Amino acid sequence: MFTLVTDQSRFFKVKHGQSGGEVERALSLPVSDVFAGKIIERGQPLVPYTVKPLESYKSLAEKFGLTEEELKSINLSRPLYPTCRLYVPCKNRRVSI
């Protein structure tokens, strides 16, 4: 007898009634077009970052050692404003999902 082991932790299924914000907090990554039953593959570990006044994609990209285009791509080119949540790659840090 054997046990089949699957990599279910790589995927997340959106449950009925979950909002986009709830899914983002659960996965620590930006999502768009959230609907019940959608399967989302977990990507690289990301860390949430709260934007401060006067910060831009350019200044944050320099701060985290990325290009502006990479940071925009990760965050789906969302508009920035103070207190909004962005996600940045987790470097030299272990993150449990």
Side-chain angles (χ1 to χ4, degrees), residues 13-32:
K13 184 176 181 179
V14 178
K15 296 170 187 65
H16 181 72
Q18 281 185 313
S19 69
E22 291 172 334
V23 173
E24 284 188 356
R25 282 188 291 281
L27 297 176
S28 290
L29 60 98
V31 294
S32 63

Side-chain angles (χ1 to χ4, degrees), residues 57 61-62 65-72:
Y57 272 115
E62 291 172 2
L66 302 167
T67 66
E68 188 174 352
E69 291 76 28
E70 287 173 326
L71 189 58
K72 281 184 177 181

Side-chain angles (χ1 to χ4, degrees), residues 3-96:
T3 302
L4 178 63
V5 178
T6 61
D7 195 8
Q8 291 178 347
S9 63
R10 279 187 46 215
F11 300 96
F12 179 86
K13 184 176 181 179
V14 178
K15 296 170 187 65
H16 181 72
Q18 281 185 313
S19 69
E22 291 172 334
V23 173
E24 284 188 356
R25 282 188 291 281
L27 297 176
S28 290
L29 60 98
V31 294
S32 63
D33 302 326
V34 175
F35 55 87
K38 181 176 183 176
I39 304 293
I40 301 170
E41 184 173 5
R42 299 174 195 248
Q44 66 181 9
L46 298 175
V47 177
Y49 175 80
T50 303
V51 177
K52 296 173 183 66
L54 303 177
E55 287 184 320
S56 65
Y57 272 115
K58 183 177 181 178
S59 66
L60 291 171
E62 291 172 2
K63 179 177 184 173
F64 294 111
L66 302 167
T67 66
E68 188 174 352
E69 291 76 28
E70 287 173 326
L71 189 58
K72 281 184 177 181
S73 174
I74 290 169
N75 289 284
L76 309 173
S77 295
R78 293 182 174 168
L80 296 185
Y81 55 89
T83 71
C84 81
R85 178 182 290 180
L86 285 186
Y87 293 92
V88 295
C90 179
K91 295 183 180 180
N92 302 325
R93 194 189 293 179
R94 205 168 179 194
V95 174
S96 62

